[in-house]
Amino acid sequence: MANFGWLVFLLGSLQGSIAAPTSDAKATAAKPKPHILFLLADDLGWANIGFHRTSATTEDEKQGQLEVQTPTINQLVSEGVVLDRHYSYRICGPARSALLSGRLAPHVLVKNVAVTASNPEDPVSGFAGIPRNMTGMGAKVRAGGYKTHYTGKWDAGMATPQHTPYGRGFDSSFIYYQHANDYWNKKTGIQATGEITTCLNAFYDLMIENHTYRGPYKGAALTDACKDSTEPTPYCYEEKMFEEHSLQIINNHNTSDVEHPLFLFHAFHLLHTPLQVPKYYYEQIEKDVIQRGGKAFDSQNRRMLMAMTKYMDDTIKNLTAAFKAKGMWNNTLVVFTTDNGGPIYEPGSANNYPLRGGKYSDFEGGVRTTTFISGGYIPEARRGHVHNGIVSVADWYTIFSELAGVDPRDTQAEEANKWLKEQGLSLLAPVDGKAGQLDATLGGTAGPRDSEPLFLSGSALLEYPYKLVTGKQPYMVHTGPLYPNCSTIGSMQKGNGPDFIDFSVLEEKIDLGDSHYWRGDCEAGCLFNVEEDPSESIDLSHDPAQKDRLTRMISTLADFNKTLFVPERGETHVQACYSAMLNGGGHFGPFVDIAGYYSDPPRVIEDLSSKEKTQMAVMGALTFDSVKKVVQKYAPKILLGQLEKSCDKCCEDGSCDGQTQNLPDDLALVENITMHHPAMHHQAMHQEPEVATV
Ligand SMILES: *[C@@H]1O[C@H](CO)[C@@H](O)[C@H](O)[C@H]1NC(C)=O
Ligand SMILES: *[C@@H]1O[C@H](CO)[C@@H](O)[C@H](O)[C@H]1NC(C)=O
Ligand SMILES: *[C@@H]1O[C@H](CO)[C@@H](O)[C@H](O)[C@H]1NC(C)=O
Ligand SMILES: *[C@@H]1O[C@H](CO)[C@@H](O)[C@H](O)[C@H]1NC(C)=O
Ligand SMILES: *[C@@H]1O[C@H](CO)[C@@H](O)[C@H](O)[C@H]1NC(C)=O
Ligand SMILES: *[C@@H]1O[C@H](CO)[C@@H](O)[C@H](O)[C@H]1NC(C)=O
Ligand SMILES: *[C@@H]1O[C@H](CO)[C@@H](O)[C@H](O)[C@H]1NC(C)=O
Ligand SMILES: *[C@@H]1O[C@H](CO)[C@@H](O)[C@H](O)[C@H]1NC(C)=O
């Protein structure tokens, strides 16, 4: 077995405090501030929600309407206000970083970066997620007196204690850090994230933070033991664990303490891959559709996604019921949104009909995000209305700062800029969130963004009602009312996509070519009028009458693009994996400047199981470029083959009775490649990898 003497790493350099950022703002105390329940869905498609399915003309549309079951959400919408022009960013990490930092995604994070990345040259921005010295949403509302709690998916960075929910001002959190984990075993397998990382998908991703404990979740539910249970909501299903946690927070809230209202951020794992749901829901959704006069599902994944959607709806029913039971509802503001539009690749299986494209594209299907507000806080006169003002995902930070009575300005970031400027490093952008958005929404008046351009991404600009989309765009298609379907599955099986575009092995992206991603090219610019043509079907860029507009918008985008925030985030380092093994007890967590963060003392090599020791040896072996290259060469072939096989199943005859099969253990595959390749094996066992400090 490998010699572990070389496992002497980063822990020495760990210093710094974990004091949560503070705000200089003052609370104002007029009438009691509302409780806030923020519900963030993951990867929700425009057509995967009942209130976007109200008009159905064709048979297929009627079938689609029967399949999408969100009665609770529909009810909340009827008592609330729909924000019909809410824009986010095309993928999750940047969208969430925007939401939690109040910056437009192009000003905080433009692409997903591995949580284990770090660039020692830039201790402020040289990590994944929100730069360390920006003030988070939690800190703002807490400064206004709120009790702040975060449950569910984070995906806004984890490198230092300042990057975590606790560091961003949440009194407590129960979270996972990455884009997804497995709903059953809580590890970050290939099915969850579509990648094999430097840490070889070996770790759990489930953490707890509060004032008395910070470290791995240790309960018995780190298992897939309940996967075959016929109970509707077995506890080891991660969404159930999150629901129970949030219910406890609501139930423990001291309602007499009006100075300290509740801010609960519940970020669902649903509806992100892997497609996993308790058997009961998978059975029940088909029964319900048939009972209401519909047909059986013809795509196993579509059925799975609809079952997951119903599960999310039932969870919202329970969370809102808890607010009601505590007598908090009449002063509660509920916000519901999704990080980005639905992924229309397999196995993402969402549908943005009638919008074009999906997650990873700048078309409306990727960036126009289903959003509404509800709860007793909504004035009666506005209930059941639709707000048409343009709202950005970055605006919530300012909306909540206003509700909390604090100044949204980020003085901590301004302070850091003095140093960053001296060092010649990228400066942190000021908060982009607009003041007055909630007043406009509740008052039914024009909003602050309605008459100015919105910087959607480095390749797209909205100047309502016109929208410019440039460059290569994946998923440049219109899906139908029933998507995915047997035709989609047929296309996939013939190798014509839609494949997942972000597949990577040891941080190297695999690109299978345009046809696999239904990728097209808008080159210098496609131009749409999204008000008259919400599906972006008519490209106006060749219309002579639009020539000036097109030229002007291209130039506006180029100007905006000069403000794109692209600091050097750094490479992934195996030290982050070692830290997860020892400090995090086999869970992902902060790995830089962690002194005083983890409640438990770190494990030592002797504490590890023999499997864990092997895992560390393989991770270490991968620090050799030669070893890494061999894995990068062989692993994609094996994995893509596995992924395509396990993807979706066409069952026109209503034969989708089994759940999607599971892939083999990722680590075993990588181990096989490294350990059974004689030259590599020799090198791994006899050379000491370089252990750089992070
Ligand atoms: C913090 O989390 C730990 C572990 O779940 C729990 O036992 C403890 O009660 C929590 N403390 C607070 C103050 O919430
Ligand atoms: C709840 O808040 C009230 C008002 O601040 C306070 O008097 C009371 O002690 C609190 N109850 C608990 C259990 O902390
Ligand atoms: C909602 O709460 C009810 C009552 O406690 C429970 O039986 C059900 O399992 C919960 N639903 C979900 C989706 O957790
Ligand atoms: C909310 O309900 C409580 C108790 O029923 C009541 O005292 C309070 O005035 C209500 N608040 C509003 C804003 O209606
Ligand atoms: C950034 O935040 C860290 C942690 O709070 C702090 O130690 C450091 O001094 C800050 N850096 C700058 C440039 O403000
Ligand atoms: C914006 O900048 C990014 C990164 O430098 C570049 O990839 C993109 O093409 C630019 N977009 C435009 C419209 O110039
Ligand atoms: C089935 O999927 C294909 C793409 O694979 C799409 O073009 C078609 O519109 C879908 N059919 C329905 C009825 O939604
Ligand atoms: C790994 O290799 C061994 C020996 O060749 C084989 O028995 C095993 O099935 C392989 N495991 C996987 C997951 O490929």
Side-chain angles (χ1 to χ4, degrees):
M1 202 59 265
N3 160 27
F4 287 93
W6 46 264
L7 294 174
V8 179
F9 29 79
L10 73 170
L11 301 171
S13 69
L14 308 172
Q15 276 177 16
S17 82
I18 53 154
T22 54
S23 165
D24 52 342
K26 292 166 212 66
T28 56
K31 60 177 182 180
K33 294 166 187 171
H35 305 292
I36 297 170
L37 171 61
F38 198 96
L39 300 168
L40 181 61
D42 197 351
D43 282 2
L44 172 67
W46 188 261
N48 298 132
I49 197 108
F51 73 96
H52 283 154
R53 291 278 198 173
T54 47
S55 78
T57 326
T58 66
E59 283 307 306
D60 287 340
E61 284 173 345
K62 285 178 191 156
Q63 171 74 15
Q65 192 179 49
L66 291 172
E67 291 179 0
V68 180
Q69 292 182 24
T70 56
T72 307
I73 288 173
N74 299 353
Q75 178 66 29
L76 288 171
V77 164
S78 73
E79 297 162 0
V81 182
V82 170
L83 278 66
D84 197 41
R85 291 271 162 208
H86 187 273
Y87 283 89
S88 184
Y89 192 76
R90 60 187 179 230
I91 48 170
C92 50
R96 287 160 191 268
S97 296
L99 174 60
L100 290 157
S101 74
R103 274 74 171 185
L104 298 174
H107 292 158
V108 59
L109 180 70
V110 295
K111 57 182 186 182
N112 286 334
V113 174
V115 286
T116 49
S118 61
N119 166 20
E121 307 291 305
D122 186 347
V124 172
S125 310
F127 310 99
I130 301 171
R132 189 184 197 168
N133 301 54
M134 280 186 180
T135 302
M137 178 188 275
K140 283 293 174 194
V141 292
R142 189 163 72 186
Y146 278 85
K147 298 280 185 196
T148 53
H149 301 278
Y150 195 103
T151 309
K153 171 172 170 176
W154 180 246
D155 203 7
M158 76 164 199
T160 74
Q162 290 79 32
H163 285 90
T164 72
Y166 193 67
R168 299 294 180 200
F170 287 95
D171 295 326
S172 83
S173 83
F174 180 34
I175 52 147
Y176 59 95
Y177 281 112
Q178 306 195 51
H179 313 314
N181 60 3
D182 187 288
Y183 290 82
W184 304 113
N185 67 30
K186 290 87 186 174
K187 289 192 171 180
T188 54
I190 188 90
Q191 296 196 96
T193 57
E195 56 190 25
I196 289 193
T197 63
T198 305
C199 303
L200 297 176
N201 300 359
F203 298 127
Y204 294 103
D205 195 355
L206 198 61
M207 293 287 271
I208 288 184
E209 298 177 295
N210 62 40
H211 298 307
T212 58
Y213 175 82
R214 288 172 299 280
Y217 169 82
K218 289 181 185 161
L222 282 175
T223 163
D224 56 10
C226 69
K227 193 165 163 246
D228 296 319
S229 164
T230 52
E231 272 177 67
T233 60
Y235 187 71
C236 93
Y237 185 55
E238 190 174 51
E239 238 14 279
K240 184 64 182 172
M241 298 167 69
F242 288 151
E243 185 212 61
E244 300 250 319
H245 183 79
S246 283
L247 286 176
Q248 206 170 45
I249 286 166
I250 301 163
N251 292 333
N252 289 344
H253 183 72
N254 183 355
T255 50
S256 324
D257 190 359
V258 291
E259 298 291 311
H260 297 103
L262 177 60
F263 181 83
L264 173 59
F265 198 120
H266 189 95
F268 289 96
H269 185 321
L270 295 165
L271 312 160
H272 200 292
T273 53
L275 302 184
Q276 294 170 332
V277 77
K279 276 186 154 45
Y280 174 90
Y281 274 81
Y282 186 76
E283 298 304 328
Q284 199 59 38
I285 193 78
E286 177 122 313
K287 284 185 198 153
D288 285 352
V289 170
I290 290 171
Q291 200 186 2
R292 292 167 196 216
K295 292 177 294 191
F297 285 87
D298 64 346
S299 147
Q300 180 168 273
N301 279 359
R302 192 171 87 239
R303 174 169 164 190
M304 188 71 80
L305 197 86
M306 292 301 93
M308 291 163 74
T309 307
K310 180 64 163 63
Y311 194 104
M312 178 173 76
D313 193 76
D314 284 351
T315 304
I316 294 174
K317 182 170 162 189
N318 285 357
L319 295 178
T320 50
F323 276 84
K324 289 173 184 166
K326 284 277 279 191
M328 293 159 75
W329 187 250
N330 66 0
N331 194 30
T332 293
L333 170 65
V334 179
V335 177
F336 176 94
T337 190
T338 171
D339 52 356
N340 43 255
I344 60 172
Y345 46 81
E346 291 277 6
S349 305
N351 188 5
N352 303 303
Y353 176 78
L355 305 185
R356 187 175 192 176
K359 183 177 180 184
Y360 286 99
S361 86
D362 287 312
F363 290 109
E364 297 284 89
V367 303
R368 184 175 170 195
T369 37
T370 301
T371 304
F372 66 85
I373 58 176
S374 191
Y377 183 74
I378 310 296
E380 269 183 56
R382 273 301 273 169
R383 296 187 188 174
H385 283 72
V386 173
H387 178 60
N388 289 309
I390 310 290
V391 180
S392 160
V393 67
D395 293 335
W396 295 105
Y397 184 95
T398 301
I399 291 173
F400 297 148
S401 295
E402 287 174 341
L403 279 174
V406 301
D407 183 349
R409 226 179 90 190
D410 188 351
T411 50
Q412 186 194 202
E414 288 167 12
E415 200 52 42
N417 276 345
K418 294 179 191 160
W419 183 83
L420 288 166
K421 195 167 179 186
E422 275 170 25
Q423 305 297 310
L425 294 166
S426 302
L427 300 186
L428 307 180
V431 169
D432 287 309
K434 290 279 182 190
Q437 284 286 26
L438 190 62
D439 287 346
T441 306
L442 295 179
T445 55
R449 290 192 186 278
D450 295 1
S451 52
E452 59 178 63
L454 176 60
F455 186 22
L456 291 173
S457 78
S459 46
L461 178 78
L462 180 71
E463 202 180 276
Y464 195 77
Y466 291 93
K467 183 172 157 197
L468 173 71
V469 177
T470 66
K472 286 210 160 196
Q473 294 285 337
Y475 315 115
M476 200 160 159
V477 296
H478 290 98
T479 53
L482 296 174
Y483 182 90
N485 55 57
C486 286
S487 145
T488 323
I489 297 161
S491 165
M492 186 78 185
Q493 281 165 354
K494 283 189 219 118
N496 296 330
D499 287 271
F500 173 55
I501 199 172
D502 220 8
F503 188 80
S504 72
V505 172
L506 304 178
E507 323 320 330
E508 183 155 291
K509 298 261 179 258
I510 316 296
D511 193 324
L512 302 170
D514 288 353
S515 67
H516 279 265
Y517 311 117
W518 296 358
R519 188 162 51 195
D521 199 346
C522 272
E523 293 174 348
C526 296
L527 182 70
F528 305 98
N529 180 327
V530 292
E531 184 173 19
E532 287 170 9
D533 174 29
S535 306
E536 295 168 305
S537 303
I538 307 160
D539 180 6
L540 303 170
S541 65
H542 300 292
D543 179 349
Q546 301 293 347
K547 192 164 176 288
D548 289 350
R549 183 185 312 281
L550 180 68
T551 311
R552 201 184 43 192
M553 285 180 73
I554 289 173
S555 133
T556 308
L557 177 58
D559 284 347
F560 270 128
N561 213 24
K562 291 180 190 140
T563 67
L564 207 63
F565 182 67
V566 282
E568 187 46 64
R569 306 254 175 188
E571 308 269 299
T572 66
H573 300 281
V574 72
Q575 282 75 18
C577 311
Y578 297 160
S579 174
M581 191 67 98
L582 300 178
N583 299 302
H587 291 243
F588 283 102
F591 55 93
V592 174
D593 294 345
I594 53 176
Y597 178 76
Y598 288 101
S599 300
D600 295 339
R603 296 195 292 177
V604 293
I605 301 294
E606 290 73 54
D607 297 335
L608 304 182
S609 69
S610 64
K611 183 170 183 195
E612 287 173 321
K613 286 178 186 165
T614 308
Q615 289 173 338
M616 276 181 90
V618 181
M619 287 167 200
L622 291 170
T623 59
F624 298 116
D625 259 5
S626 53
V627 177
K628 197 166 171 173
K629 289 214 173 81
V630 175
V631 178
Q632 283 170 338
K633 185 167 167 202
Y634 291 109
K637 282 191 192 144
I638 301 171
L639 291 168
L640 284 169
Q642 297 285 353
L643 205 61
E644 273 170 20
K645 257 189 263 163
S646 70
C647 233
D648 202 350
K649 212 156 84 184
C650 167
C651 32
E652 274 162 311
D653 49 355
S655 60
C656 285
D657 42 10
Q659 296 221 5
T660 317
Q661 74 184 76
N662 281 314
L663 294 175
D665 187 283
D666 309 342
L667 182 72
L669 282 166
V670 179
E671 262 171 17
N672 270 11
I673 296 164
T674 45
M675 292 313 189
H676 297 139
H677 190 283
M680 266 176 353
H681 189 254
H682 181 266
Q683 199 171 18
M685 293 302 114
H686 297 281
Q687 260 183 281
E688 307 217 333
E690 278 176 44
V691 182
T693 46
V694 283

